[in-house]
Amino acid sequence: MRNLFVILLSFIWVQQIRALTSPWSWDCKNERCVKTEIKQGQEDKAISLEACELICPKETGLWPKPTGIVKLSNFLVPINPNQIEINSKRTGILTSQAAKLFKEDIASRVPTARDSSNGRPLSITIFHTEPDVDKLTLETDESYHLVVKSDMGGKIEVTITSPNFFGSRHGLETLGQLIIYDDLRNQLRIPIEANVTDKPAFPYRGILLDTARNYISVDVIKRTLNAMAASKLNTFHWHITDSHSFPYVSKSRPELSQYGAYSPNKVYSQKDIEEITEFARVRGVRVMPEFDAPAHVGEGWQKTGYVVCLNAQPWSTFCVEPPCGQFDVTQDGLYDALEDIYGDMKDQFDVDIFHMGGDEVKFTCWNETKSIVEWMSKKGWGRTEEDFLKLWNYFQQNAEDRLYKKFGKKVPIIMWTSGLTKKEHIAKYLPKDKYIIQIWTTENDPQIQDLLDGGYKVILSNYDALYLDCGFSGWVTDGNNWCSPYIGWQKVYDNHPRKIAGSQVNQVLGSEAALWTEQVDSSSVDSRLWPRAAAMAETLWTNPTTSWREAESRFLVHRQRLVRKGIGADALEPEWCLQNENECPIKKL
Ligand SMILES: *[C@@H]1O[C@H](CO)[C@@H](O)[C@H](O)[C@H]1NC(C)=O
Ligand SMILES: *[C@@H]1O[C@H](CO)[C@@H](O)[C@H](O)[C@H]1NC(C)=O
């Protein structure tokens, strides 16, 4: 009898050790998670760090912070990851694919060798009011409403209501964040009740990736898209060609990539592009190609004779970085080639907007090319700035005609800020009903105000906050690269469109973080982009009135989320700061 008692006691003891894996709990005090030792007999009240970080902060742990109501129960219950049912009837193929991704994501978080059968089943129902929307545009309503309830039998019921797939996908993303891994109990848990209404503040939330300065593998592009989806970004701006290389395989002009790719393997085949655009669409992301011209061309065009100043030296006379190259815009054959490329891109990318680049044209290159100067002289033009602007505009008009011809309509065109977008020229050359201007100069550039006053819609990529390649060594000289210093996530977060555009903020479609890849390749894309691009994601989704300080703890949690999804996101602080919320910043909240 006494032996049995001892056995029973030790059994209970072992069970308790097994039940909780750590002596630490995080208690929610004044909306902050405080690390506390678990008292004997209080094991069932112990809260894991992930759980605490979800329910304790005033804004909850969601990233980006929802813009509508967020109500979460403090009571978390275990779910059974093997019993997730998603009812997405009449919502279309995209929704079933997104549902599959959701299940895979949850499955990937199930702790190893743990019996989850005591968790509750999860039943998700998705409703769409516009079931046929399968393409993201600047007008797409990305809102959603998410409700979590428990039914009488203990089943967890989730309802996601949205106008269309692009909203409900965000809803699934939020649901994924509501399900946390409780490492004290080795379980996945969810608040027993939740009610979230949400929609983004800005319609264009992008990342630019340059795959021409250095080639970026298809896998890394996909990983980038995964991280974008996790942060509710929606536009992958693909700077796919430049003067350095031409990895884009054009169906009608295959010789361009044959001559212009770094190697036969460093190309994006039609199959690669098809795969990437579909991969993106299921994750709520549009893939928009940029065909940058008339500068930023070179490799690949050797046999055509349409590029002048190719690798001209000294390069700084003819372009902004080596190798130089600019289209000979006087040649009629060039426009046939462009028409072919635009047509190929239209078929492959199927987008509502198109990027024509248009940055950093150097007039010296054209001015030093005899045939171009003669052609201009025959037209009765001189050789002044104004004349070369006319020449550039001649190119733009012809290129625009060919683009519209292939798209069959006046697709909105995005162009970088340049000499052509200056106040004194823009209205004449780039009318506001056709062009959207992407700003890359600094936030205090007076051109921004001019563009807003001129009624232009703009996208912000001001390099002082959104060029994520800044702050490394120089590569055409010693010292640091041109746009140093490194931009911290805090600056990215605080780059509010309203700060830059003031009362004209309604003309800002959104922002885009740019990763130019002179000093980046597949091995370093993740850590340059992440988690910093996710800071911009919240600024655009939430349009917060608060600064990075209020967002810090949640951001550390989101960075963990990205790492869990296999993204090599940079560490921002010692893990101690994540576990001891708000103890690290110098000026505490
Ligand atoms: C969610 O919250 C909204 C606003 O408070 C409320 O109208 C709605 O009834 C709530 N839904 C549920 C299912 O609790
Ligand atoms: C082009 O070259 C001519 C001859 O050297 C020079 O007079 C003219 O100023 C140049 N134009 C521009 C825009 O630099």
Side-chain angles (χ1 to χ4, degrees):
M1 192 62 200
R2 212 176 122 221
N3 271 354
L4 187 67
F5 183 68
V6 170
I7 289 168
L8 200 68
L9 255 188
S10 53
F11 178 72
I12 291 169
W13 185 76
V14 167
Q15 278 296 86
Q16 288 212 338
I17 292 290
R18 254 207 215 131
L20 295 187
T21 56
S22 153
W24 297 110
S25 169
W26 274 262
D27 291 355
C28 185
K29 287 185 184 142
N30 302 324
E31 297 171 349
R32 273 169 55 186
C33 295
V34 180
K35 188 172 172 178
T36 317
E37 192 173 350
I38 301 166
K39 291 197 192 71
Q40 273 231 312
Q42 299 286 303
E43 287 81 358
D44 56 335
K45 294 209 182 72
I47 302 173
S48 72
L49 177 61
E50 260 199 58
C52 186
E53 289 293 355
L54 174 66
I55 56 182
C56 179
K58 188 170 76 202
E59 13 235 3
T60 76
L62 298 172
W63 191 281
K65 189 175 106 179
T67 51
I69 314 150
V70 186
K71 284 193 218 145
L72 303 187
S73 162
N74 283 340
F75 186 60
L76 274 69
V77 291
I79 60 161
N80 183 343
N82 300 318
Q83 288 189 334
I84 299 180
E85 166 198 293
I86 304 185
N87 178 356
S88 58
K89 285 201 194 91
R90 292 195 303 279
T91 44
I93 179 81
L94 282 172
T95 309
S96 350
Q97 286 167 328
K100 188 163 159 270
L101 290 178
F102 174 82
K103 282 190 186 173
E104 284 168 8
D105 178 45
I106 301 300
S108 75
R109 292 155 63 179
V110 176
T112 45
R114 168 75 193 185
D115 177 16
S116 308
S117 55
N118 61 342
R120 304 188 185 198
L122 188 66
S123 166
I124 305 166
T125 310
I126 299 173
F127 293 106
H128 290 166
T129 49
E130 304 159 10
D132 298 330
V133 175
D134 61 359
K135 187 168 152 177
L136 186 73
T137 71
L138 290 171
E139 281 75 45
T140 304
D141 182 347
E142 294 173 273
S143 67
Y144 67 91
H145 183 197
L146 170 77
V147 174
V148 178
K149 281 193 297 203
S150 166
D151 79 357
M152 302 299 277
K155 193 200 265 182
I156 300 293
E157 286 194 334
V158 180
T159 315
I160 298 173
T161 320
S162 171
N164 55 60
F165 165 73
F166 294 96
S168 69
R169 198 217 65 86
H170 293 316
L172 280 174
E173 207 64 62
T174 299
L175 179 61
Q177 296 191 6
L178 291 179
I179 297 171
I180 57 95
Y181 170 56
D182 181 337
D183 60 1
L184 286 174
R185 302 175 179 83
N186 262 332
Q187 283 172 337
L188 294 181
R189 297 191 148 220
I190 188 170
I192 195 161
E193 277 181 5
N195 187 343
V196 179
T197 56
D198 197 10
K199 65 169 187 222
F202 293 93
Y204 186 102
R205 305 180 304 281
I207 279 185
L208 173 147
L209 187 63
D210 164 11
T211 62
R213 267 54 178 263
N214 274 309
Y215 179 80
I216 308 295
S217 73
V218 172
D219 279 352
V220 171
I221 292 178
K222 286 181 177 172
R223 214 155 62 221
T224 303
L225 292 165
N226 274 335
M228 289 178 72
S231 308
K232 301 190 173 95
L233 290 168
N234 70 2
T235 304
F236 179 74
H237 170 174
W238 195 346
H239 186 87
I240 194 168
T241 63
D242 211 294
S243 53
H244 308 67
S245 77
F246 199 105
Y248 170 66
V249 179
S250 157
K251 190 175 171 185
S252 30
R253 304 268 169 160
E255 61 281 4
L256 292 171
S257 54
Q258 275 157 13
Y259 279 88
Y262 279 128
S263 81
N265 295 326
K266 291 186 172 168
V267 294
Y268 302 105
S269 69
Q270 298 193 47
K271 196 174 141 279
D272 292 335
I273 291 173
E274 211 171 279
E275 217 174 278
I276 287 169
T277 51
E278 264 319 292
F279 188 93
R281 204 153 68 106
V282 175
R283 287 158 181 78
V285 178
R286 69 150 84 69
V287 179
M288 175 187 67
E290 172 182 354
F291 185 67
D292 200 353
H296 291 284
V297 292
E299 294 290 336
W301 294 90
Q302 285 94 336
K303 291 278 152 183
T304 64
Y306 299 148
V307 167
V308 289
C309 316
L310 183 55
N311 197 19
Q313 294 289 356
W315 60 263
S316 56
T317 309
F318 301 95
C319 63
V320 295
E321 72 177 67
C324 296
Q326 211 155 277
F327 276 142
D328 177 354
V329 299
T330 65
Q331 296 201 46
D332 295 339
L334 168 66
Y335 300 101
D336 297 333
L338 291 183
E339 184 179 323
D340 284 347
I341 293 169
Y342 296 149
D344 292 341
M345 286 187 164
K346 190 225 169 226
D347 292 345
Q348 288 177 298
F349 292 93
D350 187 30
V351 274
D352 59 314
I353 38 182
F354 190 84
H355 207 299
M356 292 182 85
D359 56 324
E360 301 181 320
V361 173
K362 272 262 197 176
F363 292 159
T364 323
C365 166
W366 285 336
N367 201 10
E368 298 270 318
T369 306
K370 198 161 157 258
S371 62
I372 294 180
V373 176
E374 280 170 11
W375 183 92
M376 290 171 75
S377 148
K378 268 194 212 129
K379 287 216 165 224
W381 299 356
R383 293 169 76 173
T384 65
E385 286 269 331
E386 197 60 44
D387 293 308
F388 286 103
L389 276 167
K390 241 195 287 184
L391 183 65
W392 185 356
N393 183 53
Y394 172 84
F395 167 79
Q396 191 56 35
Q397 291 312 309
N398 279 296
E400 183 195 286
D401 285 350
R402 302 298 181 112
L403 183 82
Y404 289 163
K405 184 173 162 198
K406 278 296 171 182
F407 273 73
K409 63 176 180 203
K410 290 191 173 168
V411 54
I413 298 168
I414 306 180
M415 297 265 283
W416 294 105
T417 41
S418 69
L420 218 51
T421 64
K422 288 203 177 119
K423 185 165 80 174
E424 53 277 29
H425 310 303
I426 190 166
K428 193 156 100 202
Y429 297 131
L430 308 172
K432 65 168 186 258
D433 56 332
K434 291 177 169 175
Y435 287 89
I436 295 166
I437 309 300
Q438 185 165 8
I439 291 160
W440 67 274
T441 47
T442 53
E443 61 160 308
N444 53 10
D445 178 2
Q447 203 184 149
I448 301 177
Q449 193 55 51
D450 294 340
L451 287 167
L452 294 169
D453 290 343
Y456 284 86
K457 290 242 181 343
V458 299
I459 294 165
L460 302 176
S461 292
N462 48 308
Y463 76 75
D464 50 345
L466 295 176
Y467 270 28
L468 302 185
D469 50 308
C470 302
F472 292 84
S473 62
W475 62 279
V476 288
T477 178
D478 56 5
N480 296 331
N481 64 13
W482 73 275
C483 57
S484 291
Y486 183 88
I487 300 163
W489 75 270
Q490 298 92 334
K491 186 157 193 191
V492 176
Y493 189 90
D494 285 346
N495 190 58
H496 297 292
R498 65 167 185 280
K499 205 174 77 188
I500 296 169
S503 61
Q504 285 148 300
V505 69
N506 59 332
Q507 284 167 248
V508 179
L509 294 172
S511 305
E512 189 170 271
L515 187 56
W516 302 102
T517 58
E518 284 90 347
Q519 299 173 282
V520 180
D521 69 7
S522 300
S523 53
S524 47
V525 165
D526 282 20
S527 59
R528 292 282 207 288
L529 277 176
W530 310 104
R532 290 183 294 168
M536 180 195 71
E538 173 154 300
T539 305
L540 296 176
W541 181 280
T542 313
N543 194 17
T545 52
T546 48
S547 82
W548 65 269
R549 285 183 181 277
E550 286 78 0
E552 194 217 7
S553 314
R554 274 185 312 114
F555 194 52
L556 295 180
V557 172
H558 190 61
R559 187 254 163 192
Q560 299 279 98
R561 232 174 246 142
L562 294 174
V563 171
R564 174 170 57 65
K565 285 173 185 273
I567 317 296
D570 245 353
L572 300 171
E573 299 173 27
E575 190 164 354
W576 190 90
C577 303
L578 170 72
Q579 297 194 352
N580 295 271
E581 192 185 328
N582 203 231
E583 294 296 339
C584 291
I586 287 175
K587 217 177 92 199
K588 288 191 199 173
L589 290 179

